[in-house]
């Protein structure tokens, strides 16, 4: 099935939710970028999506090989300048807003979700170096990362250090010349090795000698796969070996690597930012990465929806009013398709709203920064939950064919399932919401957001949900941490749904008054009506769980918690 | 990970929900069957579950080969008499209640879900022959099916006839001697071929000459893989060829076959029941098969829960109160595990309640038959939805390891996903509920069930949900069919949750007063409390969707329903 870029919808959400005109993007630039990215992704990346799944990235002792066509398609991406959209102008990028680069990345990922993870990680490396690198590091690496000629990775996880990053053991020892000798093993490193680019820039969390235990003792290092020659070109191999890749349920186009640093004592790294300042630098990467994982939810939801709608229109089965009917005509199939559309739109609006705050925060807007911090766990967790839900409905719409791999619906279902896990599990996001994000300002940002939502909302069910979120917020602020955590996930879902309802309802009002493609506007209004009338009330059902205490969870002790 | 049969839980639910003592099963028989089946399944079938997934059933032109060990494990099942539990005594079976055979099948399927589909289908064939076969057919086939020495299949689907069975084209032409010549192609035939048994008994829906279009023109045929010799042993090949097997997302131990009947004009079938009476005979198979697919939800939920609890207890990550902690100690992980437990118990209670009505209906209880008819779509659809949900949470509890195939959590997630699709999609079940099942008696059975639930219920949230279900029922009865269908799926979920809440609350009361293993009873009570306090209120959130009209779904026309 061919992929149709969601250009009209992206433009609408960028205009009316992200308010991209305030970010200095002219209409003609907006159109050129969205349409150009769409044509590129549909033409060059989407056709490789199936082979990404069926062939997948392959490991050998020499390294990881991508399926046929991937290297050429990646080079086309670099040459087309698609890597430079959001990169800093000082290093050859176009310096366009993060919100716009979000739309471009969405399109690439809808075309080929596993492949698009590679540029996603490069963006994280650029962020970390741009904020925390020395001028020499920036000059040496950023121009190549900004174009995508080199790619970046994030190296956090070790076998015993997953969600608990502070438990990591990778070592960095001073070599006496200002550089560091890196040794250790990292796991779950996406695109930790591949044959797409001439160098790979690993950003590695490691522990320096005598560093304190936990996250306070962690530093961030720049560790290229190939050290740079004096002229800046990639030179000697830097003793970073890919030991294996994981056998995953999905996302096979993305090699998930076990990387071994310094097996021969010849892995040289440079400190990024101050010693023991690793977590702060890492969070710079991680926060945007979290939005980009939320965006993966949008990517897969969009593609799964397109596939399901196409199938439902085509598949004739039974009859309605005496005539043979396509299944799209049946009410429960319509309900599924409408839910897919509405949830995809909702996830996109939430992620784009957060992305727009990145630009405003970068421009010095402290309120936008606070809103971004609050929205990040919502965009990551709820965006990915919706991606999984929509992909699952997509399988269902296909009936028995959905379970057959050749149809393609199953791939989306398998691909999507990693997104609630990586880049901080959704449980970690919920904990971040009720812990750090509520505590940062005593709930002031959230309270202000809810007040804004309530002022705008018109539907009585939506108003009731917003009120319920305000009530849970007050409950959370007064509760101890275990009770907050016990209700954290239902609360995150309620709050995200309320925010999406607010954004959807506002879009519906605009669509009712706007000129433009009547079919697009009718679909938007129908999806908004469905969301507000059916999905918003569902979230009210989560209030009891959000306010439940931890007590029921601990009645049974861990050692007798029966399987 | 080893599998621990859920014997204590099964016994509790059989006693208190199915009320199995009323069905003539003595305590010692109950214990012997549950414990024996558990020991057999854990010892012989569970160890083959991974190879079922990784190696899977293999096709060649000669037929389907099961992975190493499967044939021996199947023979052990036959020799142990596990196939005979629920089979009719007249044909060598033990004639024990369907409710008890449900528990045995649950255990087999928790051990190895794909493998257990084989006996599940055999049970369907036994039902159809026992109810609709001639004495000769019964004498020829039932003794071998009753022990499992031969296996059965159901052949409904064709490429253009899925949910719309009436569109099938397979032909049956009279051969002049009372037998029929069968020709056509069937798809999605589970265990349509394999090397486990000496014969395979295909029950095939086909169309006789001049039969009217649609379901009215369909007849059911008995088509063995090998024709029977005069002494009843399998003889000549009956021209049933397995053309290929599907490449599915999961359930790889179950070969999903394309079967070609009569390529050489030599496929002979016998009519089962009257000509044009195929749908009625097929429903005999299908109704119990639907309960057994609901039971697959319980199977996979049980296994996924066991795996997640074991992992969560083992996996040390971070700390609580200054000490290293297993993730089972963290509130949101506890919430996930408790949800898995509670939903598994709820699904089991619902399916066992329905199974017990099979026995009562078979004994001539008309009220039980009406209740069975009503509960069947709930048990199938909600049981499988919960299986999928629990398997997905199981992946999440494992974090990144959940996405790695070797861990095993991903297999459950993939295996489970077919269950809401086959044996009538869950959308078809919802349509059955608001159509045929509400219409059969003007809602009398449902209204009576809701009255009983309300009389028993104590929790105010549960009472509110039951009242809401009653309100939606009245709304449905007055609504036109499109409006009913538009709300059918949310209504099915609400109603199922209310029924589960009623069954769970009652179990909680019994557990509070009962003697027995205090750890088991404490876990039961905690899961009940969690279900009533957190899951029941969620279902209230579905009321708006259940009562929404179809209008919002049809605002946009099919041809402009945008992807």
């Amino acid at each position: 099935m061919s992929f149709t870029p969601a250009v009209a919808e992206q433009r609408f959400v960028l205009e009316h939710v992200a308010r991209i005109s305030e970010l200095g993007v002219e209409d003609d630039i907006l159109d050129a970028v969205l349409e150009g990215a769409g044509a590129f992704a549909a033409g060059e990346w989407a056709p490789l999506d199936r082979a990404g799944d069926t062939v997948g990235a392959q490991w050998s002792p020499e390294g990881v090989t991508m399926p046929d066509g991937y290297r050429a398609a990646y080079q086309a991406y670099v040459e087309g300048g698609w890597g430079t959209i959001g990169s800093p102008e000082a290093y050859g990028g176009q310096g366009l807003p993060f919100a716009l680069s979000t739309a471009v990345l969405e399109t690439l990922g809808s075309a080929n979700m596993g492949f698009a993870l590679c540029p996603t990680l490069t963006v994280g490396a650029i962020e970390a170096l741009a904020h925390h690198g020395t001028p020499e590091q920036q000059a040496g690496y950023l121009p190549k990362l900004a174009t995508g000629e080199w790619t970046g990775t994030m190296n956090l996880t070790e076998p015993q250090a997953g969600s608990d990053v502070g438990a990591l053991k990778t070592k960095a020892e001073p070599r006496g010349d200002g550089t560091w000798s890196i040794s250790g093993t990292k796991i779950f490193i996406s695109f930790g090795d591949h044959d797409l680019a001439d160098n790979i820039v690993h950003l590695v969390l490691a522990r320096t000698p005598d560093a304190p235990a936990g996250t306070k003792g962690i530093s961030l290092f720049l560790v290229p796969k190939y050290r740079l020659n004096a002229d800046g070109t990639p030179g000697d191999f830097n003793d970073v070996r890919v030991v294996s890749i994981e056998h995953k349920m999905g996302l096979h186009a993305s090699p998930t690597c076990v990387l071994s640093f310094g097996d021969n004592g010849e892995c040289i790294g440079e400190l990024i930012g101050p010693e023991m300042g690793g977590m702060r630098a890492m969070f710079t990467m991680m926060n945007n990465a979290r939005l980009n994982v939320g965006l993966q939810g949008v990517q897969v939801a969009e593609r799964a929806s397109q596939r399901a709608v196409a199938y439902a229109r085509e598949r004739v089965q039974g009859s309605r009013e005496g005539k043979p009917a396509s299944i799209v005509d049946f009410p429960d199939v319509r309900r599924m398709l409408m839910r897919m559309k509405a949830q995809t739109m909702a996830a996109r609006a939430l992620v784009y709203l957060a992305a727009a705050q990145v630009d405003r925060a970068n421009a010095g807007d402290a309120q936008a920064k606070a809103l971004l911090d609050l929205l990040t766990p919502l965009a990551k967790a709820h965006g990915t939950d919706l991606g999984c839900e929509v992909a699952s409905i997509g399988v269902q719409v296909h009936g028995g064919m959905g379970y057959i791999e050749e149809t393609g619906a199953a791939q989306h279902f398998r691909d999507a399932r990693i997104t609630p896990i990586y880049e901080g599990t959704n449980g970690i996001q919920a904990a971040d919401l009720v812990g750090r994000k509520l505590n940062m300002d005593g709930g002031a940002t959230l309270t202000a957001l809810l007040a804004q939502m309530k002022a705008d909302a018109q539907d009585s069910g939506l108003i009731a949900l917003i009120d319920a979120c305000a009530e849970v917020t007050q409950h959370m602020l007064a509760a101890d941490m275990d009770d907050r955590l016990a209700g954290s996930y239902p609360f995150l879902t309620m709050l995200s749904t309320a925010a999406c309802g607010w954004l959807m309802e506002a879009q519906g009002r605009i669509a009712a008054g706007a000129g433009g493609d009547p079919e697009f506007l009718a679909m938007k209004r129908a999806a908004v009506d469905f969301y507000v009338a059916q999905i918003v009330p569902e979230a009210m059902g989560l209030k009891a769980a959000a306010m439940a205490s931890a007590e029921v969870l601990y009645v049974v002790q861990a050692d007798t918690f029966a399987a």
Side-chain angles (χ1 to χ4, degrees), chain A:
Chain A
M1 194 212 72
S2 65
F3 161 63
T4 308
V7 172
E9 163 73 4
Q10 291 181 323
R11 187 188 292 118
F12 190 93
V13 181
L14 284 173
E15 280 178 10
H16 301 297
V17 175
R19 302 202 313 274
I20 197 155
S21 65
E22 296 175 11
L23 301 174
V25 177
E26 310 282 340
D27 280 359
D28 55 343
I29 297 285
L30 183 64
D31 288 347
V33 169
L34 294 181
E35 281 163 21
F40 171 76
E44 306 279 332
W45 279 31
L48 300 175
D49 190 37
R50 285 293 295 148
D53 187 55
T54 54
V55 179
Q58 298 288 332
W59 178 90
S60 81
E62 285 70 49
V64 172
T65 307
M66 295 294 287
D68 285 349
Y70 273 72
R71 186 177 164 91
Y74 187 77
Q75 294 303 322
Y77 159 86
V78 171
E79 283 157 23
W82 298 110
T84 65
I85 300 286
S87 301
E89 285 178 283
Y91 302 104
Q94 299 186 52
L96 286 163
F98 183 79
L100 183 56
S101 67
T102 293
V104 171
L105 188 57
E106 180 204 315
T107 299
L108 290 167
S110 290
N112 193 321
M113 182 178 163
F115 198 7
L117 191 53
C118 185
T120 304
L121 290 155
T122 303
V123 168
I126 292 170
E127 285 289 317
L129 280 174
H131 284 88
H132 304 285
T134 62
E136 293 72 26
Q137 289 168 344
Q138 292 173 345
Y141 290 92
L142 282 178
K144 295 293 188 181
L145 289 168
T147 58
E149 285 167 278
W150 298 349
T151 70
T153 72
M154 296 171 58
N155 290 252
L156 291 78
T157 305
E158 299 178 11
Q160 288 310 312
S163 296
D164 181 18
V165 177
L168 66 84
K169 293 176 181 165
T170 293
K171 279 190 226 168
E173 299 188 83
R175 297 177 72 251
D177 62 353
T179 66
W180 301 73
S181 180
I182 310 295
S183 59
T185 300
K186 294 286 182 178
I187 64 169
F188 293 162
I189 310 308
S190 297
F191 281 93
D193 196 53
H194 58 74
D195 57 0
L196 300 173
D198 296 338
N199 208 355
I200 302 173
V201 181
H202 302 294
L203 298 203
V204 182
L205 287 184
R207 202 173 283 291
T208 50
D210 309 319
T215 53
K216 286 178 188 162
I218 291 175
S219 307
L220 183 64
F221 294 88
L222 186 168
V223 184
K225 178 177 177 183
Y226 298 106
R227 296 175 208 143
L228 303 197
N229 294 320
D231 67 356
T233 57
D236 293 339
F237 179 63
N238 194 29
D239 199 14
V240 182
R241 226 163 293 270
V242 53
V243 176
S244 63
I245 63 174
E246 304 293 350
H247 176 216
K248 306 194 299 293
M249 176 157 57
L251 218 66
H252 298 155
S254 164
T256 302
C257 300
V258 177
L259 291 184
S260 186
F261 293 87
D263 279 357
N264 300 313
E266 292 171 3
C267 179
I268 302 175
E270 298 177 28
L271 193 59
I272 301 177
E275 196 178 339
M276 320 287 179
M279 285 307 285
R280 196 165 152 263
M282 208 68 191
F283 267 112
T284 306
M285 295 176 71
M286 251 172 23
N287 277 330
N288 292 358
R290 285 177 172 185
L291 292 189
N292 282 336
V293 172
L295 182 66
Q296 289 188 303
V298 182
Q299 293 167 6
V300 72
E302 176 64 35
R303 190 70 186 274
S305 297
Q306 292 192 14
R307 196 181 294 277
V309 169
Y311 183 84
R313 277 187 179 171
E314 215 165 76
R315 170 77 174 166
V316 175
Q317 191 76 173
S319 59
R320 256 176 87 85
E321 295 161 6
K323 283 182 255 178
S326 299
I327 63 170
V328 68
D329 287 325
F330 292 104
D332 190 61
V333 174
R334 278 286 173 108
R335 181 193 61 81
M336 290 194 277
L337 296 175
M338 191 62 90
R339 191 171 179 102
M340 294 176 83
K341 288 290 300 179
Q343 295 285 44
T344 303
M345 284 184 190
R348 183 181 283 112
L350 181 61
V351 172
Y352 281 28
L353 177 69
Q357 307 318 310
V358 172
D359 295 306
R360 293 184 167 83
N362 287 345
D365 180 339
Q367 266 193 312
K369 176 67 169 69
L371 183 57
L372 171 63
D373 287 345
L374 176 67
L375 291 176
T376 296
L378 275 56
K380 194 280 175 181
H382 199 59
T384 59
D385 280 347
L386 294 186
C388 288
E389 184 195 329
V390 170
S392 182
I393 302 174
V395 171
Q396 192 71 21
V397 168
H398 284 78
M401 292 306 295
Y403 204 58
I404 307 298
E405 286 290 356
E406 286 78 359
T407 313
Q411 182 187 339
H412 302 315
F413 180 72
R414 291 184 288 99
D415 284 354
R417 192 61 190 82
I418 186 58
T419 61
I421 295 173
Y422 62 15
E423 222 40 62
T425 65
N426 286 3
I428 297 278
Q429 305 301 323
D432 180 49
L433 171 64
V434 303
R436 221 166 62 85
K437 299 303 164 64
L438 272 191
N439 287 343
M440 69 181 178
D441 57 6
T445 303
L446 176 54
T447 305
L449 174 64
L450 289 167
Q452 177 68 53
M453 285 162 56
K454 184 159 181 185
D456 294 342
Q458 295 184 350
D459 177 81
S460 62
L462 179 57
I463 292 169
L465 180 61
I466 295 165
D467 285 342
C469 288
E471 188 183 340
V472 179
T473 302
Q474 292 310 311
H475 161 83
M476 287 280 174
L477 287 166
D480 76 19
M481 193 47 70
D482 270 4
D483 287 343
R484 288 191 193 190
L485 290 168
S488 61
Y489 208 108
F491 178 49
L492 181 144
T493 305
M494 278 179 81
L495 181 57
S496 301
T497 307
C500 289
W502 166 61
L503 297 173
M504 290 288 277
E505 199 190 48
Q507 289 180 71
R509 282 192 294 271
I510 292 162
D517 176 1
E519 288 179 8
F520 169 78
L521 295 171
M523 190 76 231
K524 170 66 80 177
R525 291 171 65 185
V528 165
D529 288 348
F530 181 89
Y531 192 94
V532 173
Q534 302 202 21
I535 296 175
V536 163
E538 270 182 38
M540 276 298 283
L542 297 169
K543 186 180 168 191
M547 295 184 66
S549 78
E551 196 185 343
V552 68
L553 303 176
Y554 290 94
V555 169
V556 176
Q557 297 299 307
D559 56 348
T560 57
F561 197 100

